[in-house]
Amino acid sequence: MTGTTSEAEHGPAGTVWQSAPYPVLLVGGDGVIEHVNDAARALPAAAPGVRLADAVPAWLADAHRLVTEAQAHRLVTEAQGHPLVTQDVSGLVAPVRGLIGDRAFEAHPTPGDGGSGVTWWLVDATDHERVSEALRLERRRTAFLAEASNELLSSLNLDRCMEVTVRLAARHLADAALVILPAAGRRHPVAYCGPDGRVVRENPAVDPREVPGLAEALRGFPPVPSRWIDPASAPGWLARKELGEPGSMVVTALPGHGVPAGALVLLRRSGHASFSEGEEVFARLFAARAGAAMSAARLYAEQAAITETLMRELLPPEARGLDGVELSARYRPAGATELVGGDFYDLHPAAEPGGESLLVLGDVCGKGLEAAVFTGRIRTTLHALLPVAGDHGRLLGLLNDVLLRGDRRTFVTLVLASVRRGGPRVTVRLTSAGHPPPLVLRADGRVEEVPTRGTLIGMLETVTATTVTVELEPGDTCLIYTDGVTEARGGPLGDELFGEQRLREELEQCAGMPPEALTERVQMLAAQWTGGGDQDDVAVIAITAPRAGRETTLPGLGRESASPRAGGGIS
């Protein structure tokens, strides 16, 4: 050894590195090992006098060559008097890592002075590598679970959840994957994704008993451990030909919210590593998230179907012509996202041609779904009372008795309109029970209030109401509306009611409008008055006697021509 390096540090009798816990190799300038410490003797080929390239793996021999070349380059540039190259060559070569046997080492070079050689410190990094690799694996798995959760929870559609589950499982957990749902009828819906990432939906005849663990997973027995499947005994719908020879299969339950969501089957090709215990546990973590998302999607679909069925019964009926009478009915709930509310209308065509048809428009106390449910009760009760619809007073009294037996906090205001066409005229019998009086818009622009009054329904033991008969001549319209029109609050200052007077003035400008245009106009007036602010439910019905010469096509009645207009009024 030359230079400032002491014998105590590098010599064979040195004690500083001789007893170091990691192997230390002192390699001369000619590439031959000169000294090794006690720990380095664990490397069988590493001994003094042996060339380093013959004693260590190629990665360390290559690193030594780079250090030697860098050291020689430094010496040459120093000899030429280059002022910039004065640093230690150890800074030119970073520590390198590699395997020696089954252990991982990190090699740190310390060049000697004057090009005398290099001392290699071999630090055992096996445990550090294992911890680092475990940490990297956990980070990848955490990122995958976050990705899976985001994709699965982005939709409440069961089919999409199935597709996301098999696609992610085939991409990250296995070569291919299947999701099998509980039986729908006699078949089990299946989604399959192979190495190409394409999802295939199937509905095969599956016997869960043919696959070990599948029946238990589909029934959701707690706890349901993963079950290995012998590829040789797997049915054809499970062992896919396009996957080649299957190597390993495992079935895992997809747990749901109190009910089984299905089963996940993971498949790997022959020659690929089988599922480790850690991978199996991780697959169950993924399955738990997928099962929860699929269960939520199924529950949402069931609730949506129930809601749609119930809502169909609560929605107002479609307006249609009644025995030659032009008719338009519109309903708009208060909330932008609501379908039903406290205002309603109903149409009951005459049981026989020439008879009276009954129209009902009402307003129950409250808003939203609770009011809509109460509305449904009233509509059902009125339908049952149709046999007495010819007597408005009796019908209202019976309805009042029914409501008084229920919740006394709920009540309703109504207008009953019995409509009959006789020649060119339309006769309308109107009875108001605590409701704003109807208006008649004559063909010449006059607006008349129908003087019918009565008590609201569902609060008092006795109901009083007056019935008024109105004769509509061709072009005349009877307008029935809820207080969502007249009590719309807005205007220039934002706190003024639209009011009945303003409604009449606007109607005077609407003479001759078809009933569809008139009801749309009334709803638009209320919406414009509020200026996008809070609104109440609005229901409007327009009953019009067809003008002379106008043909009206009626469902099931063919065509008929309206007659010339005659005079008329409120009687």
Side-chain angles (χ1 to χ4, degrees):
M1 298 290 297
T2 61
T4 59
T5 305
S6 68
E7 178 73 12
E9 292 177 51
H10 296 291
T15 59
V16 175
W17 61 271
Q18 190 68 31
S19 59
Y22 300 121
V24 180
L25 305 177
L26 176 59
V27 184
D30 56 359
V32 177
I33 299 176
E34 296 181 355
H35 299 289
V36 296
N37 70 343
D38 295 339
R41 300 187 185 279
L43 306 174
V50 177
R51 294 187 59 82
L52 180 68
D54 299 330
V56 298
W59 64 269
L60 182 54
D62 292 339
H64 179 76
R65 178 178 52 80
L66 291 175
V67 172
T68 302
E69 291 175 353
Q71 188 177 22
H73 178 70
R74 180 180 69 87
L75 294 175
V76 171
T77 53
E78 283 182 346
Q80 294 174 349
H82 199 290
L84 298 180
V85 185
T86 57
Q87 63 181 11
D88 189 350
V89 73
S90 61
L92 301 177
V93 180
V96 292
R97 289 189 178 188
L99 292 176
I100 299 179
D102 60 350
R103 307 291 293 179
F105 285 87
E106 185 174 79
H108 297 259
T110 304
D113 292 338
S116 60
V118 179
T119 301
W120 286 98
W121 300 77
L122 306 181
V123 180
D124 192 331
T126 305
D127 294 337
H128 181 268
E129 287 287 339
R130 289 174 179 171
V131 171
S132 298
E133 179 59 29
L135 180 59
R136 286 191 293 270
L137 178 60
E138 288 303 316
R139 286 175 176 170
R140 287 198 300 269
R141 289 178 173 177
T142 300
F144 165 64
L145 291 177
E147 175 192 356
S149 298
N150 289 337
E151 288 203 46
L152 289 167
L153 297 177
S154 64
S155 172
L156 285 174
N157 181 282
L158 180 58
D159 290 341
R160 171 168 168 75
C161 285
M162 288 180 65
E163 294 177 3
V164 169
T165 298
V166 293
R167 190 177 68 251
L168 290 176
R171 183 191 307 165
H172 296 279
L173 303 178
D175 294 319
L178 295 96
V179 166
I180 303 101
L181 297 187
R186 296 183 177 180
R187 293 181 177 268
H188 292 263
V190 173
Y192 168 79
C193 182
D196 59 357
R198 186 172 60 92
V199 177
V200 179
R201 298 294 307 279
E202 301 171 347
N203 201 30
V206 174
D207 184 358
R209 295 170 297 181
E210 295 179 351
V211 182
L214 181 57
E216 293 86 346
L218 291 174
R219 288 196 295 267
F221 287 163
V224 183
S226 300
R227 292 286 298 274
W228 291 96
I229 306 170
D230 181 6
S233 62
W237 63 268
L238 189 60
R240 303 299 173 114
K241 293 181 179 179
E242 63 269 22
L243 191 62
E245 184 180 353
S248 56
M249 300 181 180
V250 61
V251 58
T252 300
L254 294 169
H257 297 294
V259 293
L264 172 67
V265 179
L266 303 176
L267 305 93
R268 283 185 176 173
R269 293 189 178 105
S270 176
H272 287 204
S274 60
F275 296 92
S276 66
E277 182 179 352
E279 289 175 323
E280 192 176 334
V281 171
F282 180 67
R284 288 201 294 269
L285 291 176
F286 168 74
R289 285 164 170 77
M294 292 170 57
S295 179
R298 177 183 285 110
L299 181 61
Y300 174 81
E302 293 174 354
Q303 291 178 341
I306 294 172
T307 300
E308 182 181 359
T309 301
L310 296 177
M311 196 66 67
R312 193 180 302 120
E313 297 298 320
L314 295 177
L315 289 173
E318 180 182 356
R320 57 189 184 277
L322 296 174
D323 196 16
V325 179
E326 293 185 11
L327 179 69
S328 174
R330 287 181 178 272
Y331 171 72
R332 187 200 67 204
T337 60
E338 297 175 353
L339 296 177
V340 293
D343 291 5
F344 69 96
Y345 68 83
D346 223 337
L347 312 175
H348 301 283
E352 55 187 21
E356 281 189 328
S357 299
L358 179 66
L359 281 66
V360 182
L361 182 139
D363 183 0
V364 305
C365 63
K367 297 180 182 179
L369 185 59
E370 185 176 355
V373 172
F374 184 46
T375 295
R377 287 179 52 198
I378 294 173
R379 292 178 61 192
T380 301
T381 304
L382 286 172
H383 188 79
L385 295 176
L386 283 179
V388 298
D391 186 343
H392 288 186
R394 186 182 178 192
L395 186 149
L396 293 175
L398 292 173
L399 176 62
N400 188 65
D401 293 341
V402 171
L403 297 185
L404 288 177
R405 295 190 184 98
D407 190 348
R408 288 298 187 102
R409 297 172 300 175
T410 55
F411 59 88
V412 62
T413 65
L414 289 172
V415 172
L416 302 179
S418 293
V419 182
R420 185 200 307 266
R421 180 176 179 180
R425 296 184 175 183
V426 174
T427 301
V428 185
R429 292 192 302 115
L430 295 158
T431 303
S432 174
H435 202 82
L439 298 175
V440 174
L441 173 61
R442 297 299 180 183
D444 58 8
R446 290 178 295 120
V447 177
E448 304 170 357
E449 180 181 295
V450 181
T452 173
R453 300 289 188 274
T455 56
L456 52 82
I457 308 299
M459 292 294 289
L460 304 176
E461 295 293 338
T462 303
V463 174
T464 59
T466 59
T467 300
V468 177
T469 301
V470 174
E471 296 290 341
L472 300 180
E473 303 296 333
D476 293 347
T477 298
C478 178
L479 184 73
I480 311 172
Y481 58 93
T482 58
D483 60 10
V485 177
T486 54
E487 294 184 5
R489 189 174 296 275
L493 300 179
D495 59 351
E496 185 179 357
L497 297 180
F498 187 72
E500 296 180 4
Q501 182 60 36
R502 188 173 281 105
L503 175 61
R504 293 184 186 184
E505 294 173 357
E506 291 288 348
L507 289 178
E508 291 175 355
Q509 312 301 319
C510 300
M513 273 191 179
E516 296 84 0
L518 183 60
T519 54
E520 182 178 1
R521 174 64 177 166
V522 171
Q523 278 196 347
M524 185 180 67
L525 288 171
Q528 289 178 339
W529 187 254
T530 61
D534 293 339
Q535 301 180 26
D536 197 358
D537 300 332
V538 173
V540 185
I541 295 179
I543 307 165
T544 301
R547 287 183 178 273
R550 178 174 178 178
E551 292 187 346
T552 305
T553 302
L554 303 174
L557 298 178
R559 294 186 177 186
E560 57 183 68
S561 177
S563 302
R565 180 179 188 264
I570 298 175
S571 60

